[in-house]
Structures are given as structure tokens and as C-alpha cells.
Amino acid sequence: MPNNPQSPQKSDITTLITAFSTASGFQKSNRFRINILPPTSIPGGTQITPKAFTVFASNIQTPSQSIIFYEDTMSPSGPPISIPIRRNYDDRYIIEFIVDKKWNIRSFFDSWMNALFLNTGPNENSTRVQYFTDIVGTLEIEALDQNDNVAKTITLYDAYPKQIIPTQFSNDTPNQYLTLIVDMMYRYYTIT
């Protein structure tokens, strides 16, 4: 693993504060952009068109990954041996959006969720679902540097909305923006 050229050689508080405030080699958590490429099956009627577009998200997370192991307990002595058998990705990917004044972002995700089913409106339920390839899209999370250059891109494949978390209005915070939290499913991701 290469050494971090920005790592301070001393650990006193002044050195650490100086290193973090002046270093250009650290990723800031508020420097990101999210691009969505939804499926073409999303019907019209929303201001957001079904092609690749960039939306403003107030909070996102990086996807998780773990390894599933098989515990081999047949060894003659010693502890069990953990044998890796497959990769596992978290089944939740939560994105928090700021709601625009026409609620286009909410309409977009409502349309996407409605498009999962055949011949249903927002007040109908159906057990007939679309083909998987017709309902999935792609999400790109771009980590940006201070000059808005893309440092890394995390791409989530075969993504679709699983749940729209309830939105809460409140009189306690009159100057705060309303947010929409969407829980997405995805099959796998890459980092480039």
C-alpha cells in the first residue's frame, strides 16, 4: 500500500489541524455529485426526463461490501477455517434529496416505483411485475475535489427504488428544506 504523502510526521494537535486544513489530498464529505440513469420504462408527466441527469442530494452513503464465508469445521485440530465463498453487497442504499418546489424529485421516484408493475396506477396493486431489465437503472456517485474534478466514481448497477421514507413537515424548523429519503436496491457496484 503506498504511503499517504499528506500524512503528518508528528501527532500534536497543531500539526494535525494544519495538515487537515491545508492538505489538498483529503476527500471532503460535501464534495460529491450524483447522476441517475433511470430505465426508459418510466412514463412521462414529470419535469425530469428519463435520461442521465444530475440531481442534488444532501446526503448519500458509500455502498458496503462483505464476504460470506463457509466455516470448515472438519479440520482435524485447531479452530475452524473460514473459506470465502462469495461477495455480498448491502441491500440498502439510502439517498436524501432536497425537495424542489414542484416536487419533481418525488414525482420521478413515484413514477419509477409505479413502472415496476404492469398496468397499474398509483392506487392499484399488482402481482405482475415488469422484466428486471426494464425497471433497473444506474447511479453514479462522483467524488469531487476542490476544483470540481472527479476524483473517483462509484457506480451502482441494476438499481431501483425500494422504499420512499416518509417525509416530515415541521413548524419547529421554519428555514429548513424539506427532504426526500429514498432507499434503493442495487445488484453490485464498481469504483473507478
Side-chain angles (χ1 to χ4, degrees):
M1 173 182 270
N3 290 332
N4 183 349
Q6 304 294 336
S7 297
Q9 298 302 313
K10 298 192 289 185
S11 61
D12 64 277
I13 192 67
T14 304
T15 302
L16 293 175
I17 289 173
T18 303
F20 278 100
S21 63
T22 60
S24 61
F26 295 105
Q27 176 66 50
K28 293 196 173 180
S29 63
N30 68 334
R31 306 291 304 151
F32 66 93
R33 178 172 51 219
I34 183 165
N35 303 313
I36 300 177
L37 179 61
T40 56
S41 62
I42 295 178
T46 175
Q47 296 299 314
I48 299 175
T49 58
K51 60 182 180 180
F53 62 91
T54 302
V55 293
F56 182 78
S58 57
N59 287 300
I60 61 171
Q61 60 191 24
T62 55
S64 69
Q65 180 182 163
S66 61
I67 302 295
I68 304 297
F69 292 92
Y70 167 74
E71 292 291 327
D72 182 3
T73 58
M74 300 301 289
S75 58
S77 63
I81 300 170
S82 297
I83 301 170
I85 55 173
R86 71 180 176 96
R87 235 179 266 277
N88 191 37
Y89 298 102
D90 192 2
D91 63 348
R92 300 191 74 180
Y93 187 77
I94 296 175
I95 309 172
E96 185 174 4
F97 300 95
I98 292 179
V99 177
D100 56 287
K101 66 180 179 180
K102 292 188 177 181
W103 288 56
N104 289 325
I105 192 70
R106 173 64 191 245
S107 298
F108 168 74
F109 281 103
D110 281 338
S111 294
W112 194 345
M113 292 181 87
N114 289 337
L116 300 178
F117 301 96
L118 293 171
N119 304 321
T120 63
N123 297 325
E124 301 175 26
N125 289 318
S126 172
T127 56
R128 299 175 56 213
V129 297
Q130 295 278 14
Y131 290 109
F132 185 75
T133 55
D134 292 336
I135 63 171
V136 295
T138 303
L139 302 177
E140 291 180 341
I141 298 93
E142 296 175 333
L144 307 174
D145 64 15
Q146 290 302 106
N147 299 317
D148 287 337
N149 297 316
V150 177
K152 286 286 182 186
T153 301
I154 304 169
T155 306
L156 281 70
Y157 297 95
D158 294 344
Y160 61 93
K162 172 184 175 183
Q163 180 182 15
I164 295 175
I165 309 293
T167 301
Q168 182 172 338
F169 287 94
S170 175
N171 285 322
D172 295 337
T173 54
N175 295 320
Q176 190 170 358
Y177 292 109
L178 186 67
T179 59
L180 173 73
I181 302 172
V182 180
D183 186 355
M184 301 288 294
M185 296 289 290
Y186 67 96
R187 184 174 292 273
Y188 67 99
Y189 71 89
T190 59
I191 301 178
T192 55

